[in-house]
Amino acid sequence: MTTSLERPEALDGDYRRSLALCIIESVQSHHGRDEVSVVDRYLAYRRARESDLAPYAEPLTDGARALLRTFEEAGSSDQWAGKVASYKRRYSATGAPIEARHIQQAAALLYDRRIDSISDLFDAARDQAALENLHDAWVEVCGAEEDDTWSRFLTLAGIGLPRQAVQTLAS
């Protein structure tokens, strides 16, 4: 899978089933095209890890907890950047930085608020005040200049933008 928000196929399929993919791509997105390769390498890592347990398992439904588990397996966000986000890829000092720490913090933020799946995110988005609080926490974790990553996150998950469009979910 190689998709990005600029291509229409990103708005359905894998992203609509996996909160983890939405988190990774949206947080990584401010570095440009590299978010897709980080998503691809995360998927390759997960498929390799799952093949020992269930040969036909598709990790495309990974939620925040499954993403956090990969950080636990790696040992730290720095190690995750090398072991997971750069899975089976040669290190390049000139490559775009991997925002592993922010990916981990965004996943923890969601999981701590009992948002572990796309469905959980939709449920949370039905309450405009809760969505605003979640937005503010996201921006605090990812940085004030990262409001675009929030918009991208919601779009990848299938929640319409601008934020006012979320109000239609409640009706």
Side-chain angles (χ1 to χ4, degrees), residues 83-156:
K83 291 179 180 178
V84 178
S86 297
Y87 182 71
K88 292 201 174 196
R89 182 171 187 234
R90 203 176 278 228
Y91 172 77
S92 170
T94 60
I98 296 172
E99 293 292 321
R101 181 174 52 90
H102 291 182
I103 291 168
Q104 182 181 25
Q105 290 173 335
L109 164 79
L110 293 168
Y111 188 72
D112 289 347
R113 286 171 172 72
R114 294 190 168 113
I115 300 172
D116 189 36
S117 67
I118 296 292
S119 177
D120 295 339
L121 181 62
F122 268 87
D123 290 344
R126 292 189 194 318
D127 179 350
Q128 187 66 30
L131 189 62
E132 290 292 328
N133 287 336
L134 190 58
H135 163 265
D136 294 345
W138 178 280
V139 170
E140 185 177 319
V141 163
C142 293
E145 71 281 356
E146 300 307 326
D147 198 46
D148 288 341
T149 67
W150 173 252
S151 296
R152 187 177 189 107
F153 173 66
L154 293 179
T155 300
L156 287 168

Side-chain angles (χ1 to χ4, degrees), residues 25-37:
E25 181 164 331
S26 60
V27 172
Q28 189 66 29
S29 67
H30 72 281
H31 286 297
R33 63 177 173 74
D34 197 59
E35 75 275 2
V36 173
S37 55

Side-chain angles (χ1 to χ4, degrees), residues 7-126:
R7 290 180 263 159
E9 63 269 24
L11 299 178
D12 57 18
D14 294 340
Y15 289 97
R16 297 287 169 89
R17 290 187 298 265
S18 174
L19 189 66
L21 298 184
C22 295
I23 294 167
I24 293 167
E25 181 164 331
S26 60
V27 172
Q28 189 66 29
S29 67
H30 72 281
H31 286 297
R33 63 177 173 74
D34 197 59
E35 75 275 2
V36 173
S37 55
V38 173
V39 166
D40 288 342
R41 286 176 277 179
Y42 172 81
L43 286 170
Y45 173 84
R46 288 288 291 126
R47 286 186 175 117
R49 301 288 292 178
E50 292 297 317
S51 68
D52 296 334
L53 303 174
Y56 303 105
E58 284 289 329
L60 301 178
T61 59
D62 281 5
R65 181 65 193 119
L67 177 55
L68 289 170
R69 196 170 295 114
T70 63
F71 282 91
E72 293 164 6
E73 292 169 0
S76 72
S77 58
D78 288 339
Q79 291 173 324
W80 187 91
K83 291 179 180 178
V84 178
S86 297
Y87 182 71
K88 292 201 174 196
R89 182 171 187 234
R90 203 176 278 228
Y91 172 77
S92 170
T94 60
I98 296 172
E99 293 292 321
R101 181 174 52 90
H102 291 182
I103 291 168
Q104 182 181 25
Q105 290 173 335
L109 164 79
L110 293 168
Y111 188 72
D112 289 347
R113 286 171 172 72
R114 294 190 168 113
I115 300 172
D116 189 36
S117 67
I118 296 292
S119 177
D120 295 339
L121 181 62
F122 268 87
D123 290 344
R126 292 189 194 318

